[in-house]
Amino acid sequence: MLRNNLQHILGVVMVAVAFAAQSVSAQGVVIETAPAEATTDSTIYYDDDSAFFVEPAPEDVRLSALETILPNYNDWTIAQLNGSLKLKGLPVTPSVRIYMEKGKKISISVRASFLGEVGRIDVEEDSILAVNKMKRTYCIQKFGNIKYDYPDIISDVQSLLLDRIVIPQAGELKHSNADFVDINLGGSEETAWIIDFPKGLSASDTMGMRYAVNPDGLISQLVGFMLTAEHQSVLNIEYDYRDNGYDMGITFIKDEKPQFATVVNFDSVQWDAKEPAPVQLNSKYRQMELKDFIRSFKF
């Protein structure tokens, strides 16, 4: 169950970013992966058990970490992120708007100069609608068993976008669920704490999440990994903070080979926003199965 839930989180983030990037590619342009702005390796993911060892934090340090982190997590109903997408090979620099209703909806709109909206992903409580306006294609995917197995998947993806620590099956980090994770000293000026899920995370685990947290209680890096008999997958997200927002560098690595990497520059979060108008589909649009929709992109 935990493996499936982590896979769902990583999958939604990865597919959403990849789709947003590809929806603005010009005809005949092949997107190149791994731009210089985004890292292709991780400073907190290693291949040997010794590298996972961190100094255990005594209880007072653990409480200090929670008291620093949790005040950053204000309650909210509606949130919107506005920013721009940087990816090597794109013919334009698209803007991105992410509108969210807590636990209910994520709407990702990608716009390009002189073209208007070129792509949209609407994640509702029971389905995902993805539209590529450049190619006039779309797909509708029901959540089905994903929603049954993981009812809070939308909330957890929203929390990651808002730079909040997520514990699969337990939601955002809080005092009542902190026993599900290890909170350890980070050992550097940039990293005050390292937070591991599940507890006792080691290189022998087949899945896990590790957060590096800065002295202000904000995530500086998240690495989620999953190992199967066939593949090793790693999603690396790095957060870089500015006075008026933050940048997310997202890299997906499969079998030690970067599949794609991008940087999204977000302005400060807006805690009140107008819901975007629904996408208008007509007879010129062609519906595709999700697997064919994804395959239609050039990487």
Side-chain angles (χ1 to χ4, degrees):
M1 182 71 72
L2 284 176
R3 174 192 292 272
N4 290 338
N5 289 346
L6 180 59
Q7 186 174 14
H8 296 330
I9 287 181
L10 304 187
V12 170
V13 173
M14 180 183 64
V15 171
V17 173
F19 167 78
Q22 297 299 321
S23 65
V24 297
S25 62
Q27 295 182 359
V29 174
V30 179
I31 300 301
E32 301 178 31
T33 59
E37 296 89 347
T39 184
T40 58
D41 60 4
S42 166
T43 60
I44 58 172
Y45 176 76
Y46 304 93
D47 293 326
D48 62 276
D49 279 312
S50 62
F52 272 87
F53 178 78
V54 289
E55 181 182 350
E59 187 61 25
D60 60 336
V61 175
R62 181 182 176 88
L63 290 174
S64 176
L66 293 174
E67 290 172 357
T68 303
I69 295 168
L70 298 185
N72 294 311
Y73 298 175
N74 62 299
D75 194 17
W76 63 281
T77 302
I78 292 174
Q80 181 168 293
L81 293 165
N82 297 304
S84 60
L85 183 67
K86 293 184 178 180
L87 189 67
K88 185 177 180 180
L90 285 180
V92 294
T93 300
S95 61
V96 179
R97 182 180 71 171
I98 303 177
Y99 169 87
M100 299 184 291
E101 296 176 10
K102 187 175 183 180
K104 296 180 179 180
K105 182 174 184 176
I106 303 173
S107 182
I108 303 175
S109 177
V110 184
R111 305 181 70 85
S113 300
F114 309 112
L115 296 174
E117 186 176 60
V118 295
R120 174 82 74 87
I121 299 177
D122 286 336
V123 183
E124 304 280 356
E125 291 184 88
D126 61 350
S127 65
I128 298 177
L129 168 66
V131 181
N132 186 333
K133 292 188 175 182
M134 298 292 288
K135 295 186 176 182
R136 291 182 178 175
T137 57
Y138 72 97
C139 73
I140 300 175
Q141 181 72 28
K142 295 293 184 180
F143 271 122
N145 291 336
I146 297 177
K147 187 65 175 177
Y148 176 80
D149 293 336
Y150 197 165
D152 296 324
I153 184 171
I154 292 178
S155 295
D156 285 356
V157 173
Q158 290 173 335
S159 294
L160 289 178
L161 290 169
L162 293 173
D163 175 32
R164 301 182 179 198
I165 295 170
V166 170
I167 305 173
Q169 294 183 319
E172 285 183 6
L173 177 67
K174 46 186 175 287
H175 285 284
S176 60
N177 64 17
D179 287 340
F180 289 115
V181 298
D182 283 329
I183 302 178
N184 302 302
L185 291 173
S188 71
E189 292 183 1
E190 296 79 14
T191 303
W193 301 281
I194 291 176
I195 298 180
D196 287 342
F197 174 85
K199 295 189 72 169
L201 180 66
S202 72
S204 61
D205 285 318
T206 58
M207 55 76 67
M209 301 174 76
R210 173 166 282 187
Y211 299 87
V213 182
N214 69 23
D216 294 324
L218 303 174
I219 303 172
S220 58
Q221 184 182 22
L222 160 64
V223 173
F225 69 91
M226 182 167 299
L227 310 177
T228 67
E230 297 81 17
H231 300 290
Q232 177 192 65
S233 300
V234 179
L235 178 67
N236 181 64
I237 304 178
E238 297 187 2
Y239 300 80
D240 186 22
Y241 301 94
R242 297 173 275 106
D243 291 339
N244 60 344
Y246 57 96
D247 305 329
M248 289 179 64
I250 305 172
T251 306
F252 176 63
I253 303 168
K254 185 175 182 180
D255 299 329
E256 300 184 356
K257 296 180 180 179
Q259 302 298 303
F260 72 84
T262 187
V263 176
V264 187
N265 305 124
F266 286 124
D267 297 332
S268 298
V269 181
Q270 297 180 11
W271 300 110
D272 188 18
K274 183 178 180 181
E275 181 179 1
V279 177
Q280 299 296 323
L281 300 175
N282 54 41
S283 59
K284 294 181 180 180
Y285 281 81
R286 178 168 57 93
Q287 184 172 2
M288 305 177 70
E289 296 293 329
L290 177 61
K291 61 180 181 180
D292 297 324
F293 186 82
I294 295 174
R295 288 173 182 169
S296 69
F297 297 125
K298 297 179 179 180
F299 286 89

